[in-house]
Amino acid sequence: MTDTLTSTTDDVKIIDCDAHLTEPSDLWTSRVPASMKSKMPQMETRDGFTAWYIDGEMWASIGGNTIGHGPKKVLGTNSLQPFEEIHQSAWSTRERLEVLDDQGVLAQVLYPNGVGFSSNHIFAVPDLDQRSLILKTYNDFLVEVQHESNNRLLPQAMLPIWDMDLTVKEMTRMIDQGITGFTLSDKPELLDLPELPEPYFDPMWDVFNSTNTVANFHIGAGGTKEEVLDLRKTMREQRAGKSPTPTATTLTGKKVASPSWRSFGPQRWMAVMATQMYMSNVRIVTNLCMSNLFDRYPNLKVVSAESGIGWVPFLLEALEYQLDEMVTTNDEMSLQKRRPTEYFRDHLYVMFWFESSAPQKLVEDIGAKNILVETDIPHPTCLYPNAKGHFDRVLGGLDDYSRRRILQDNAAELYGIDIPALTK
């Protein structure tokens, strides 16, 4: 493996499969009738700290935003405050495309930022009509961004999973307007809904299976209402320069330990929490590969977003070993038709950004057809300002087929990206 190559990506078009679109200050108020504006999320700055409010109560943060004016990346913070300190590329289509050009990236798959990585924050709004309008208005904004970018920016829409008829209607509405995928909660049972393989979700999976749209599970997307409330508490503590002291509870009502020791400062707390969160998608990947969901929906494609890849070979090996060691009765063995690794190879995608070791050493074990790349812009760990240089370095020793697969072809096939059309 060599680290001296500096132009290995010149013959491919990099597709960034996980970045974040910060919600602009007028996202809801500029898109709903005047009579509904007071019921929509409002961005407010109080004592120099900007957040989203509904009915006067703090609802959500403005998300991870570390690209300031210049533009330049600011270390040591999860989000610049107040909102005016953030570079416009966080939400401006034109300026985000300029960042892509500077980074050497052709297209970018976008996830939410401050309002959570699936619909769980919106789920916490008690009024159903208000909740639905918030979600639909947000999705309309995503369609605008995709069209304005000429399909270089591909936001993944949210779903109203509290109502399956509405979910199917919203999927159809978004797909008809060009949306390529949706971001999902990996733990709907924490929202008092059935688990993902249960019949309640069959209509949703039917749409995914028949339309080739992508089911995306972003790390940190499966929170509860209680965790949303706890996040608001954390935000208040961070404003005061304190280490957060989460008090989220389990389904049994018992307190759970914070990911970080409370003696750590707020910056170290964030570093510890983020490191553990990268591997939080182990649960969804494990359950998918041990289920019969892919037998039932053979066209289903699933992305594990912002979760890294270094842990994947161990997980696959463990799945194979545990299946043979523990699943021995006829009724248990008959659940799935194929091996866990076979499901992974045909249906699942994982991605990396800052890692060096795994891309250089583990591609064969993971599978070149199952790996994507990301930049995570504008989050704290994002690759900025030289994503292309990083990918040149860590993928420089790979064969041409694997390199092209990881940087371009996998994502182009998965999200239906027309490379020639975007490069004209």
Side-chain angles (χ1 to χ4, degrees):
M1 178 66 62
T2 177
D3 288 343
T4 60
L5 296 179
T6 59
S7 60
T8 62
T9 61
D10 287 349
D11 60 337
V12 299
K13 304 299 180 183
I14 299 173
I15 299 175
D16 174 3
C17 290
D18 172 67
H20 293 267
L21 183 61
T22 299
E23 298 77 19
S25 59
D26 65 346
L27 191 158
W28 284 278
T29 54
S30 65
R31 292 173 176 82
V32 298
S35 61
M36 289 301 299
K37 287 185 179 182
S38 64
K39 293 293 185 181
M40 293 295 99
Q42 313 271 339
M43 182 180 285
E44 297 182 23
T45 299
R46 302 182 181 181
D47 300 323
F49 186 88
T50 307
W52 287 99
Y53 291 79
I54 296 180
D55 299 327
E57 295 291 326
M58 186 184 293
W59 173 61
S61 75
I62 56 174
N65 289 284
T66 59
I67 309 299
H69 297 292
K72 62 181 180 180
K73 182 179 177 180
V74 180
L75 302 180
T77 183
N78 179 56
S79 187
L80 297 169
Q81 287 284 353
F83 190 76
E84 290 73 22
E85 295 297 316
I86 301 168
H87 190 258
Q88 293 91 330
S89 60
W91 65 86
S92 165
T93 299
R94 179 180 63 82
E95 299 204 42
R96 178 60 69 94
L97 292 177
E98 291 176 0
V99 169
L100 263 62
D101 292 338
D102 290 342
Q103 292 271 84
V105 170
L106 176 67
Q108 193 171 67
V109 177
L110 295 173
Y111 290 87
N113 203 351
V115 301
F117 305 141
S118 67
S119 58
N120 288 24
H121 267 67
I122 297 174
F123 202 105
V125 176
D127 184 275
L128 291 180
D129 291 336
Q130 182 183 18
R131 185 193 299 178
S132 297
L133 183 58
I134 290 172
L135 184 140
K136 289 181 178 180
T137 304
Y138 177 81
N139 283 347
D140 288 341
F141 162 65
L142 300 185
V143 171
E144 292 174 15
V145 169
Q146 182 164 325
H147 292 175
E148 185 182 355
S149 73
N150 194 30
N151 294 315
R152 289 185 66 189
L153 299 177
L154 301 171
Q156 304 299 284
M158 291 189 187
L159 291 176
I161 59 171
W162 59 85
D163 182 325
M164 196 46 53
D165 289 338
L166 186 60
T167 292
V168 171
K169 290 178 182 177
E170 187 65 5
M171 292 181 80
T172 303
R173 188 175 80 92
M174 288 291 98
I175 292 167
D176 287 346
Q177 296 183 76
I179 290 294
T180 60
F182 301 89
T183 180
L184 302 173
S185 170
D186 61 315
K187 305 178 188 72
E189 58 270 29
L190 297 186
L191 301 172
D192 299 323
L193 290 172
E195 293 183 327
L196 289 167
E198 295 183 36
Y200 174 84
F201 283 102
D202 285 354
M204 180 188 78
W205 294 128
D206 284 335
V207 177
F208 276 117
N209 190 63
S210 63
T211 61
N212 295 316
T213 45
V214 184
N216 301 278
F217 293 98
H218 192 286
I219 62 166
T224 64
K225 296 177 184 178
E226 291 76 17
E227 287 172 323
V228 171
L229 293 174
D230 193 59
L231 176 61
R232 297 172 190 170
K233 175 175 174 287
T234 297
M235 290 162 59
R236 290 193 295 269
E237 291 174 337
Q238 288 176 325
R239 285 176 63 185
K242 299 178 182 179
S243 298
T245 54
T247 56
T249 59
T250 66
L251 289 175
T252 62
K254 296 180 180 179
K255 289 184 178 180
V256 297
S258 165
S260 169
W261 288 334
R262 59 176 174 263
S263 58
F264 288 164
Q267 291 181 326
R268 191 173 300 274
W269 179 91
M270 180 62 69
V272 169
M273 184 200 69
T275 299
Q276 295 175 52
M277 189 175 289
Y278 295 145
M279 290 169 281
S280 64
N281 272 11
V282 167
R283 179 182 184 272
I284 184 65
V285 173
T286 299
N287 279 278
L288 284 169
C289 291
M290 280 289 197
S291 76
N292 65 354
L293 199 67
F294 296 126
D295 296 328
R296 293 159 52 195
Y297 303 101
N299 299 322
L300 179 60
K301 300 295 184 182
V302 173
V303 165
S304 175
E306 202 179 316
S307 54
I309 62 173
W311 50 269
V312 173
F314 171 80
L315 178 67
L316 294 178
E317 191 170 354
L319 280 167
E320 294 288 322
Y321 183 75
Q322 291 295 338
L323 181 68
D324 291 335
E325 290 287 307
M326 299 301 300
V327 181
T328 59
T329 62
N330 289 335
D331 59 332
E332 291 257 15
M333 292 174 66
S334 64
L335 175 66
Q336 56 190 140
K337 297 179 181 178
R338 305 175 68 196
R339 304 286 300 184
T341 301
E342 292 177 310
Y343 290 133
F344 180 87
R345 297 275 181 248
D346 288 346
H347 298 276
L348 278 155
Y349 297 82
V350 292
M351 63 181 72
F352 76 92
W353 66 114
F354 63 86
E355 292 172 87
S356 296
S357 177
Q360 292 173 344
K361 300 175 181 178
L362 299 176
V363 168
E364 184 175 353
D365 293 335
I366 300 166
K369 294 185 71 173
N370 300 92
I371 301 175
L372 309 167
V373 295
E374 62 166 297
T375 66
D376 198 30
I377 286 174
H379 278 185
T381 60
C382 68
L383 296 181
Y384 184 87
N386 189 20
K388 182 178 181 297
H390 174 74
F391 295 136
D392 284 341
R393 180 175 66 83
V394 302
L395 297 176
L398 290 185
D399 60 274
D400 289 344
Y401 170 82
S402 297
R403 182 166 47 82
R404 181 177 292 272
R405 272 271 142 213
I406 292 169
L407 292 171
Q408 172 185 293
D409 291 351
N410 290 338
E413 293 171 2
L414 181 63
Y415 292 101
I417 299 171
D418 187 343
I419 299 293
L422 294 186
T423 54
K424 287 181 181 178

